[in-house]
Amino acid sequence: MVEKMLLRSDNCAGAAPEILEAVMRANDGVLPSYGGDVLSVDLAEKFAGMFGREVAFALVGTGTGANALALSVVTPPEGAVLCHEKAHIRVSEQGAVEFFTGGAQLVGVPGANGKIDPNALENTLNTMPGSMGAARAPSCLSLTQLSEAGTAYSLEEMKALAAMARGHGLRVHVDGARIANALAGSGGSIGQMCAEICVDILSFGATKNGALTTDAVILFDDSLRDELAVRQKRSGHVFSKQRFLAAQWQAYLEGDLWLKLAGQANDAAQALVRDLAGIDALTIEHPVDGNIVFMKLPPGMLSSVNNEEIPFHVWGPDIIRLVAAYNTPNEELAGAVTGLRQLCAASLS
Amino acid sequence: MVEKMLLRSDNCAGAAPEILEAVMRANDGVLPSYGGDVLSVDLAEKFAGMFGREVAFALVGTGTGANALALSVVTPPEGAVLCHEKAHIRVSEQGAVEFFTGGAQLVGVPGANGKIDPNALENTLNTMPGSMGAARAPSCLSLTQLSEAGTAYSLEEMKALAAMARGHGLRVHVDGARIANALAGSGGSIGQMCAEICVDILSFGATKNGALTTDAVILFDDSLRDELAVRQKRSGHVFSKQRFLAAQWQAYLEGDLWLKLAGQANDAAQALVRDLAGIDALTIEHPVDGNIVFMKLPPGMLSSVNNEEIPFHVWGPDIIRLVAAYNTPNEELAGAVTGLRQLCAASLS
Amino acid sequence: MVEKMLLRSDNCAGAAPEILEAVMRANDGVLPSYGGDVLSVDLAEKFAGMFGREVAFALVGTGTGANALALSVVTPPEGAVLCHEKAHIRVSEQGAVEFFTGGAQLVGVPGANGKIDPNALENTLNTMPGSMGAARAPSCLSLTQLSEAGTAYSLEEMKALAAMARGHGLRVHVDGARIANALAGSGGSIGQMCAEICVDILSFGATKNGALTTDAVILFDDSLRDELAVRQKRSGHVFSKQRFLAAQWQAYLEGDLWLKLAGQANDAAQALVRDLAGIDALTIEHPVDGNIVFMKLPPGMLSSVNNEEIPFHVWGPDIIRLVAAYNTPNEELAGAVTGLRQLCAASLS
Amino acid sequence: MVEKMLLRSDNCAGAAPEILEAVMRANDGVLPSYGGDVLSVDLAEKFAGMFGREVAFALVGTGTGANALALSVVTPPEGAVLCHEKAHIRVSEQGAVEFFTGGAQLVGVPGANGKIDPNALENTLNTMPGSMGAARAPSCLSLTQLSEAGTAYSLEEMKALAAMARGHGLRVHVDGARIANALAGSGGSIGQMCAEICVDILSFGATKNGALTTDAVILFDDSLRDELAVRQKRSGHVFSKQRFLAAQWQAYLEGDLWLKLAGQANDAAQALVRDLAGIDALTIEHPVDGNIVFMKLPPGMLSSVNNEEIPFHVWGPDIIRLVAAYNTPNEELAGAVTGLRQLCAASLS
């Protein structure tokens, strides 16, 4: 692979200074371990404020850990999780969800631009379970916000899908690895979103948006608190020095830093869209609702060039993915535009 | 529980300045994610140097993650892991090993001072498997160094136990959550240890000894590289911004900082032993080979006092555990001695 | 549900007299348990003869057990099994495959008449795995013969699909719960089929075709023998008095009784097709290659009648499934035709 | 191994004529599958009568299936099952319980003659869970009746152990693979036993005592009915032609045939004890409360003879196990006595 790709991903960026400083400050003194530290205790209040109610939470180190842990709390081994057919949990986590749930099935539901189509969901809900009561009963709907395609569901769209799922007795999970980018774009509030669509459990991302190494699971169903705690421990996701994760969260949420950072990434993506509009050969593949831009190239262009010479993340046939981070340098943005121009030139010559 | 206990655990300490600074430095620039960063690449060389050979490794966030992941790579679901009956993996990780392995059995072997008794191991090896070839076949021997009792195996002791296990076709794992304290005490080299006892896979601890949030799995059997990589991903232990874990390791190993830190913790423990020797009512429960001191109190002393008033980690009936960290303040050491004197006084009055 | 449905399923029939008598005969004397009995030993030779080579086998009690056990031997937890989107293993076994494999993914591939479409398979193979090498790698192709739709793949069709899968490094499994009906229809040989399409492991059905309570797993890869044995034991599918299963197999295979029985069931299905052709309102949904007939009814007919009055197995909207067994009484066949006539009349009046 | 061993096991015997005839009779007619048949429906009433209340039940094909399925219904993955250290579920089922439960721990409790020692149980209950609330919480007590040693708990002993377990919030399981032999010996009633010790779930054996291929799980906690049904299906233990299992149970229970058969086996064991008393070199290892006799041979006797010449099941050093079945031929009993005489002679010469 190319050692360094342009706009490879938002997790190629470092951490925001405010968050780094919080980690420094958290280093002082002797503190209880495994979440007994004052930073974790304060964080509980902070979350309560954001969500307008007490919540249980688990601070973990990775997005895959957050998603798999969250889904295992609301899905029995014999259950099924309905998600978009291209959802990260289904195609990119190498079976983490099946591992954590003990074998639940990830059922893909189609839909344009990475968003579940309501009719397709209705159809899936009505055709499952199958004969002899032995088919999988769908247990949970998982909505990815931002979606894999870089698009965002509107609050109304999420409410409709969630209501449909609840009507069939399903739980609702939101994979919010990039929830900040979706909210920064729409101006919505996370508390309102979770309340209005009655989310049971949320994967709340921070790593991709300026933190060092932490995402969180936010649980809204108190009856599942112990289940979450036990599963977090069994899967090795309880940090002894949790202070260092709590500190990242404190700074991340302080003064809505998380929304500010996401806004910066989104702005960079919009700037990119404007600059790329000038290249006729290129078309934008999906609406850009956050910090991810998918560009469609002329058929065969990529295959006409030596792979080693493509300084971009090739996502599919004739498709490349460009992701802006909160601190993407202007040179990298400019470099990407230049690089794409050159690719077009090279292939057309 | 008491909000703040004296010498509660080494994971109540913050991180060493050198390691914190390395994390700061690692923040600069755009780097490949998921281990493609230069710090991770350099770390591979560093490990190769330490172990005198190339190794595969996984940087994870917790000791439980390291142990469960490591054991799942060398133990099939139908296998059994032989470990000390009090081993952390068996009694304190809430089934993480069974979860990661898919149901392997943790068979406890007795032995004084937290160390497996060779005759007991021989006996266990000879009596397993049982009738009809349907019993568990022991697959792996797990040695904890430091042991749960704060004692260290000598190199000869480990070699003898490992050889016995190999003679029966078992793999060998070392739970080295506190390996630094054991080596700092004995002056041994980790490379020599792994080579002479032919370790298959090692849980290499750092968090308890001055790092922020990282332990590692070191794999010596190349044929299992993919197995390790797949399991690390499925269990949610692959960090996208791995640079922040690699940086901790770089600093931890640089100039043998890890052994220096462990030495400081061990010295503090020895100082503690000397000071406590002055209190007649107390006796030391196990040899102190590292940074952990178990004190035996007069029968009933603890129960004679209000639990809330005991500022120590009660480990068992009449037993408390005191753990020194690389940076334990002298006041805390002194406070522990005073606290114990008062306990004795209170109960004798 | 209706206490007794017409042509509900071939597993509503009793056992063939020859098989029952074999069970009686097997009762005499004291025999080694767990497969050490002479009937099981002889069976190994019988299978070797049928398949033109030595094979490992596991005699189990159910088709679900056979499929889940077989797939768990050739699919790692992080792998994916490609099968028809309506395959029994995917929609009707309540996660048995995920349970036995430890979380493998069942990926549905579309295709008309219950048969995998070659282009759809090619497409699935080319689009998996996805980004970051973290997507599921397809590990195994599972072909259902007879298919869920009652159709049979031709030998050429199976060879083409299997070759395509092997080209991508997949294993090949055949769910042969009704393999006898497929072969009786085509006149093919099971040995030739397994050899020409290079089956790795086969679920060989007997229960639905005149046995009492046994299906078998036939393994063609010697290197996986122990894996099969261990998994059979762990899942509770090793019978202590295996003589009673082996006896059923002896009689089932003796003089190709199994093909004779399947032929009878197929003939009954064909007779049914002829008789139903006389009812204008009905159309046949899929080609009838074995003993299963799917009839399409006029839209809304079923919903126009009280459910309790429908003496048939309703498979989907306006679809009923009729299954003939080797010994289906003529009265039941006639009853089904009459029943359908009445349904049409009732709904048209 | 010796092709045919004397008194190898009660599962080397065929089925009782009454049970075989019931299977024959069950063959007539077209019946609903998967438990909808009239024999299964009637069996529910029969069980209700025996246990003095409605119960849920699962008819499975093997004892391992019954135990693993039963324990998975009452034990969470993070839980622990307390059982005798030599219990079959712990040492002889190759991890079936861990597989079905998803990783529960089998904790061995010592005790003479295969029976759990109350003090040892009390001690285990008081020392689990361990530090940090992260140790395994014991979830279930499993009592084996007859025990592995061929001894039986008295009703009082079982009540005491069960009460102790309940006092700590544990469930109670009885592994009754040979419950018939225990009851036939004591004259107790199974209904009274289950009621007085408040069994949550019972593995009710039949195969070893004259049935062909069936054991049952009897569930006394209605709230777990669905859990049992789902797990039975997922593990492949739901038989489509359940009529053939239900029929065995009908005959097995009819007129207390099961107790009569067990009595015959017990009588044969007692006769054996009397005859062997005449051989000075031999001593009986455990009280003979059922149909199993363990004989202790002079040290080294077995090793002094060529293994191939030992026509017995060697259980341990200098220990052989002799098991009588309901229909063990007198010649085999006599042969065993002669065989042992010869062994003694051979080794003493």
Side-chain angles (χ1 to χ4, degrees):
Chain A
M1 83 169 192
V2 183
E3 172 54 39
K4 164 114 165 41
M5 292 190 200
L6 295 161
L7 303 174
R8 173 82 173 79
S9 177
D10 35 13
N11 55 37
C12 296
E18 299 88 339
I19 297 176
L20 216 48
E21 282 150 23
V23 169
M24 298 300 100
R25 284 195 305 274
N27 197 51
D28 293 340
V30 178
L31 296 182
S33 49
Y34 299 107
D37 60 283
V38 59
L39 291 95
S40 297
V41 173
D42 291 351
L43 185 58
E45 279 182 38
K46 204 146 202 161
F47 279 138
M50 282 180 74
F51 295 106
R53 49 158 295 181
E54 246 198 18
V55 296
F57 62 92
L59 304 187
V60 297
T62 70
T64 295
N67 281 332
L69 178 59
L71 287 166
S72 71
V73 170
V74 292
T75 315
E78 69 275 9
V81 176
L82 306 190
C83 58
H84 190 275
E85 58 188 355
K86 298 267 180 68
H88 198 265
I89 55 173
R90 182 161 180 266
V91 303
S92 304
E93 292 181 343
Q94 212 156 32
V97 174
E98 289 89 340
F99 174 52
F100 276 62
T101 57
Q105 204 171 59
L106 287 161
V107 176
V109 183
N113 294 319
K115 291 156 65 174
I116 292 175
D117 176 75
N119 297 326
L121 177 61
E122 185 74 68
N123 180 43
T124 303
L125 287 167
N126 291 334
T127 52
M128 296 175 67
S131 60
M132 290 176 292
R136 288 311 186 83
S139 315
C140 180
L141 170 68
S142 179
L143 298 172
T144 312
Q145 181 79 322
L146 282 186
S147 77
E148 291 314 303
T151 55
Y153 290 96
S154 70
L155 182 54
E156 290 317 309
E157 288 173 324
M158 293 183 96
K159 280 168 71 172
L161 293 168
M164 205 181 287
R166 296 214 168 282
H168 284 76
L170 276 67
R171 299 272 197 170
V172 176
H173 165 255
V174 170
D175 174 359
R178 293 191 178 93
I179 189 77
N181 303 92
L183 291 167
S186 69
S189 129
I190 194 168
Q192 182 195 21
M193 181 198 87
C194 291
E196 291 202 13
I197 70 178
C198 303
V199 174
D200 289 290
I201 196 158
L202 164 73
S203 300
F204 193 175
T207 304
K208 288 175 157 52
N209 186 38
L212 290 81
T213 56
T214 187
D215 282 19
V217 173
I218 309 291
L219 173 66
F220 296 89
D221 180 338
D222 291 336
S223 71
L224 296 172
R225 275 175 176 268
D226 292 350
E227 190 70 20
L228 174 61
V230 167
R231 289 177 177 276
Q232 182 184 6
K233 179 69 186 177
R234 291 193 85 211
S235 57
H237 287 286
V238 175
F239 286 72
S240 56
K241 295 181 176 178
Q242 186 171 309
R243 62 162 85 178
F244 291 117
L245 276 63
Q248 294 178 59
W249 277 98
Q250 294 274 10
Y252 188 62
L253 302 178
E254 182 61 34
D256 284 338
L257 174 65
W258 63 296
L259 294 172
K260 176 166 151 281
L261 296 173
Q264 294 168 199
N266 293 0
D267 293 346
Q270 290 303 333
L272 197 63
V273 169
R274 283 192 300 277
D275 297 345
L276 293 177
I279 308 180
D280 300 344
L282 306 179
T283 55
I284 290 181
E285 181 72 0
H286 303 297
V288 179
D289 297 333
N291 61 325
I292 308 180
V293 181
F294 287 90
M295 300 302 297
K296 187 158 190 57
L297 284 59
M301 173 187 287
L302 288 171
S303 39
S304 73
V305 193
N306 178 337
N307 251 330
E308 296 313 297
E309 294 169 8
I310 304 172
F312 298 105
H313 186 0
V314 176
W315 196 257
D318 306 316
I319 300 280
I320 63 166
R321 191 187 76 162
L322 306 170
V323 187
Y326 76 97
N327 67 346
T328 301
N330 289 328
E331 311 75 63
E332 189 171 4
L333 291 170
V337 178
T338 313
L340 276 164
R341 271 191 211 289
Q342 291 169 344
L343 255 189
C344 297
S347 64
L348 298 177
S349 62
Chain B
M1 83 171 193
V2 182
E3 174 51 43
K4 163 110 166 42
M5 292 190 200
L6 293 161
L7 303 174
R8 174 83 174 77
S9 177
D10 35 12
N11 55 36
C12 295
E18 299 88 337
I19 296 175
L20 215 49
E21 283 151 21
V23 170
M24 298 298 100
R25 284 195 304 275
N27 196 50
D28 292 339
V30 178
L31 295 182
S33 48
Y34 298 107
D37 60 283
V38 58
L39 291 95
S40 296
V41 173
D42 291 350
L43 184 59
E45 280 182 36
K46 205 147 201 161
F47 279 138
M50 283 180 72
F51 294 107
R53 49 157 295 178
E54 246 198 18
V55 296
F57 63 92
L59 305 186
V60 297
T62 69
T64 295
N67 281 334
L69 178 59
L71 287 166
S72 71
V73 170
V74 293
T75 314
E78 69 275 10
V81 175
L82 306 191
C83 58
H84 190 275
E85 59 188 354
K86 297 269 181 65
H88 198 264
I89 54 173
R90 182 162 180 266
V91 303
S92 303
E93 293 180 341
Q94 211 157 35
V97 174
E98 290 89 341
F99 174 51
F100 277 62
T101 57
Q105 204 171 58
L106 287 161
V107 176
V109 182
N113 295 319
K115 292 156 65 174
I116 293 176
D117 175 77
N119 297 326
L121 177 60
E122 185 74 68
N123 179 42
T124 302
L125 288 167
N126 291 334
T127 52
M128 294 176 68
S131 61
M132 290 175 290
R136 288 311 185 84
S139 314
C140 180
L141 170 69
S142 179
L143 298 172
T144 312
Q145 181 80 320
L146 280 192
S147 77
E148 290 315 302
T151 55
Y153 291 97
S154 69
L155 181 55
E156 291 316 308
E157 289 173 324
M158 292 184 96
K159 281 168 71 172
L161 293 168
M164 205 181 287
R166 296 214 167 281
H168 284 76
L170 276 67
R171 298 271 196 171
V172 176
H173 165 255
V174 171
D175 174 358
R178 292 193 178 94
I179 189 76
N181 303 93
L183 290 168
S186 69
S189 129
I190 194 168
Q192 182 194 19
M193 180 199 87
C194 291
E196 292 202 11
I197 70 177
C198 303
V199 173
D200 289 291
I201 196 158
L202 164 73
S203 299
F204 193 174
T207 304
K208 288 174 157 50
N209 185 38
L212 290 80
T213 57
T214 188
D215 282 19
V217 173
I218 309 289
L219 173 66
F220 296 90
D221 180 338
D222 291 334
S223 71
L224 297 172
R225 275 175 177 267
D226 292 351
E227 191 71 20
L228 175 61
V230 167
R231 289 178 176 277
Q232 183 184 6
K233 180 71 187 173
R234 294 194 84 211
S235 56
H237 287 286
V238 176
F239 286 72
S240 57
K241 295 181 176 178
Q242 188 172 307
R243 62 163 85 177
F244 291 117
L245 277 62
Q248 295 179 58
W249 277 98
Q250 294 275 8
Y252 188 62
L253 301 178
E254 183 60 38
D256 285 338
L257 174 65
W258 63 297
L259 294 172
K260 177 166 151 281
L261 296 173
Q264 294 167 201
N266 292 359
D267 293 345
Q270 291 302 336
L272 196 63
V273 170
R274 281 192 300 276
D275 296 345
L276 293 176
I279 308 179
D280 301 343
L282 306 180
T283 54
I284 291 181
E285 181 73 359
H286 303 296
V288 178
D289 297 333
N291 62 324
I292 308 180
V293 181
F294 287 91
M295 300 301 297
K296 187 157 189 55
L297 282 60
M301 174 187 286
L302 289 171
S303 40
S304 73
V305 192
N306 177 339
N307 251 329
E308 296 312 297
E309 293 168 9
I310 305 172
F312 297 103
H313 185 1
V314 176
W315 197 257
D318 306 316
I319 300 280
I320 65 164
R321 191 188 76 161
L322 306 170
V323 187
Y326 75 96
N327 67 346
T328 300
N330 290 328
E331 311 74 65
E332 189 171 3
L333 292 171
V337 177
T338 312
L340 276 165
R341 272 192 210 289
Q342 290 168 345
L343 255 189
C344 296
S347 64
L348 299 177
S349 61
Chain C
M1 82 168 193
V2 184
E3 173 52 41
K4 165 109 165 42
M5 292 190 200
L6 293 161
L7 303 174
R8 174 80 172 81
S9 177
D10 34 13
N11 56 36
C12 296
E18 299 88 338
I19 296 175
L20 216 48
E21 284 150 21
V23 169
M24 299 298 101
R25 284 195 305 274
N27 196 52
D28 293 340
V30 178
L31 295 181
S33 49
Y34 298 107
D37 61 283
V38 59
L39 291 96
S40 297
V41 174
D42 291 351
L43 185 58
E45 279 182 37
K46 204 148 203 160
F47 279 138
M50 284 181 72
F51 294 106
R53 47 158 296 179
E54 244 197 19
V55 295
F57 63 91
L59 305 186
V60 297
T62 70
T64 295
N67 282 333
L69 178 58
L71 287 166
S72 71
V73 170
V74 293
T75 315
E78 69 275 10
V81 176
L82 306 190
C83 58
H84 190 275
E85 58 188 355
K86 298 267 182 66
H88 198 266
I89 54 172
R90 182 162 179 265
V91 303
S92 304
E93 292 180 344
Q94 211 157 33
V97 174
E98 289 90 341
F99 174 51
F100 277 62
T101 57
Q105 204 171 59
L106 286 160
V107 176
V109 182
N113 295 318
K115 292 156 65 173
I116 292 176
D117 175 76
N119 298 326
L121 178 60
E122 185 75 68
N123 179 44
T124 303
L125 287 166
N126 292 333
T127 52
M128 294 176 68
S131 61
M132 289 175 293
R136 288 311 186 82
S139 315
C140 179
L141 170 69
S142 178
L143 299 171
T144 312
Q145 180 80 321
L146 280 188
S147 77
E148 291 315 302
T151 56
Y153 291 97
S154 70
L155 182 54
E156 291 316 310
E157 289 172 325
M158 292 183 96
K159 280 168 70 172
L161 292 169
M164 204 181 290
R166 296 213 169 281
H168 285 75
L170 275 67
R171 300 271 196 172
V172 177
H173 165 254
V174 171
D175 174 359
R178 291 191 179 97
I179 189 75
N181 302 91
L183 291 167
S186 68
S189 130
I190 193 169
Q192 182 194 19
M193 181 199 87
C194 291
E196 292 202 11
I197 70 176
C198 303
V199 174
D200 289 290
I201 197 158
L202 165 73
S203 299
F204 194 173
T207 304
K208 287 175 157 53
N209 186 38
L212 289 81
T213 57
T214 187
D215 282 20
V217 173
I218 309 291
L219 173 66
F220 296 90
D221 180 338
D222 291 336
S223 71
L224 297 172
R225 275 175 176 267
D226 291 351
E227 190 70 20
L228 175 60
V230 166
R231 289 177 176 278
Q232 182 183 7
K233 179 69 187 177
R234 291 193 87 210
S235 56
H237 287 286
V238 175
F239 286 73
S240 57
K241 295 182 176 177
Q242 188 171 306
R243 63 162 85 177
F244 290 117
L245 276 64
Q248 294 179 59
W249 277 98
Q250 294 274 9
Y252 187 63
L253 301 178
E254 183 61 35
D256 284 339
L257 175 64
W258 63 297
L259 294 172
K260 176 165 153 284
L261 296 173
Q264 294 168 198
N266 292 359
D267 293 346
Q270 290 302 334
L272 197 62
V273 169
R274 283 192 300 277
D275 296 346
L276 294 176
I279 308 180
D280 300 342
L282 306 180
T283 54
I284 290 180
E285 181 72 0
H286 303 296
V288 178
D289 297 333
N291 62 325
I292 309 180
V293 181
F294 288 91
M295 299 301 297
K296 186 157 190 55
L297 282 61
M301 174 187 283
L302 288 171
S303 39
S304 72
V305 193
N306 177 338
N307 252 329
E308 295 313 296
E309 292 170 9
I310 305 171
F312 297 104
H313 186 0
V314 177
W315 196 257
D318 307 315
I319 300 282
I320 63 165
R321 191 187 76 162
L322 305 170
V323 187
Y326 75 98
N327 67 345
T328 301
N330 290 327
E331 313 74 64
E332 189 171 4
L333 291 169
V337 177
T338 313
L340 276 163
R341 274 192 208 288
Q342 293 169 341
L343 255 189
C344 296
S347 65
L348 298 177
S349 61
Chain D
M1 84 170 194
V2 184
E3 173 52 41
K4 165 111 165 42
M5 292 190 199
L6 293 160
L7 303 174
R8 173 84 173 78
S9 177
D10 35 12
N11 56 35
C12 296
E18 298 89 338
I19 297 175
L20 215 48
E21 283 150 22
V23 169
M24 301 297 102
R25 285 195 304 275
N27 196 50
D28 293 339
V30 178
L31 295 182
S33 49
Y34 299 107
D37 60 283
V38 59
L39 291 95
S40 296
V41 174
D42 292 350
L43 184 59
E45 280 183 36
K46 204 148 203 159
F47 279 138
M50 284 180 71
F51 295 106
R53 47 158 296 178
E54 246 198 18
V55 295
F57 63 92
L59 304 186
V60 297
T62 69
T64 295
N67 282 333
L69 178 59
L71 287 166
S72 71
V73 170
V74 292
T75 315
E78 70 275 9
V81 176
L82 307 190
C83 58
H84 190 274
E85 57 188 355
K86 297 270 181 65
H88 198 265
I89 54 171
R90 182 161 180 266
V91 302
S92 304
E93 291 179 344
Q94 211 156 34
V97 174
E98 288 90 341
F99 175 51
F100 276 63
T101 56
Q105 204 170 59
L106 287 161
V107 176
V109 182
N113 294 319
K115 292 157 65 173
I116 292 176
D117 175 76
N119 297 326
L121 177 60
E122 184 74 66
N123 179 42
T124 303
L125 288 167
N126 292 334
T127 51
M128 294 177 68
S131 60
M132 290 176 293
R136 289 311 186 83
S139 314
C140 180
L141 170 69
S142 179
L143 298 173
T144 312
Q145 180 80 320
L146 281 187
S147 77
E148 292 313 304
T151 56
Y153 291 96
S154 70
L155 181 54
E156 291 316 309
E157 288 172 325
M158 293 183 95
K159 281 169 69 172
L161 292 168
M164 205 181 289
R166 295 213 168 281
H168 284 76
L170 276 67
R171 299 274 197 170
V172 177
H173 165 255
V174 170
D175 174 359
R178 293 191 177 96
I179 189 75
N181 302 92
L183 291 167
S186 68
S189 130
I190 193 167
Q192 182 194 18
M193 180 198 87
C194 291
E196 292 204 10
I197 70 177
C198 302
V199 174
D200 289 290
I201 197 157
L202 164 73
S203 300
F204 193 175
T207 304
K208 288 173 155 52
N209 186 38
L212 290 81
T213 57
T214 188
D215 283 18
V217 174
I218 308 291
L219 173 66
F220 296 90
D221 180 339
D222 290 336
S223 71
L224 297 172
R225 274 175 177 268
D226 292 351
E227 190 71 19
L228 174 60
V230 167
R231 289 177 176 276
Q232 183 184 7
K233 180 69 187 176
R234 291 194 86 210
S235 57
H237 287 286
V238 176
F239 286 72
S240 57
K241 296 181 176 179
Q242 186 171 308
R243 62 162 85 177
F244 291 117
L245 276 63
Q248 294 179 59
W249 277 98
Q250 294 274 9
Y252 188 61
L253 301 178
E254 183 60 37
D256 285 338
L257 174 65
W258 63 297
L259 294 172
K260 177 165 152 281
L261 296 172
Q264 293 167 201
N266 292 359
D267 293 345
Q270 291 302 335
L272 197 63
V273 169
R274 283 191 300 276
D275 297 345
L276 294 177
I279 309 181
D280 300 343
L282 306 180
T283 54
I284 291 181
E285 181 71 1
H286 303 295
V288 178
D289 297 333
N291 62 325
I292 308 179
V293 181
F294 288 90
M295 299 301 297
K296 187 157 190 56
L297 283 60
M301 173 187 285
L302 288 171
S303 40
S304 73
V305 191
N306 177 338
N307 251 331
E308 296 312 297
E309 293 169 9
I310 305 172
F312 297 104
H313 186 0
V314 176
W315 197 257
D318 306 315
I319 300 282
I320 64 165
R321 192 188 76 162
L322 305 170
V323 187
Y326 75 98
N327 67 347
T328 300
N330 290 329
E331 311 76 60
E332 189 172 4
L333 290 171
V337 177
T338 313
L340 274 165
R341 273 192 209 289
Q342 291 168 343
L343 254 190
C344 296
S347 64
L348 298 177
S349 61

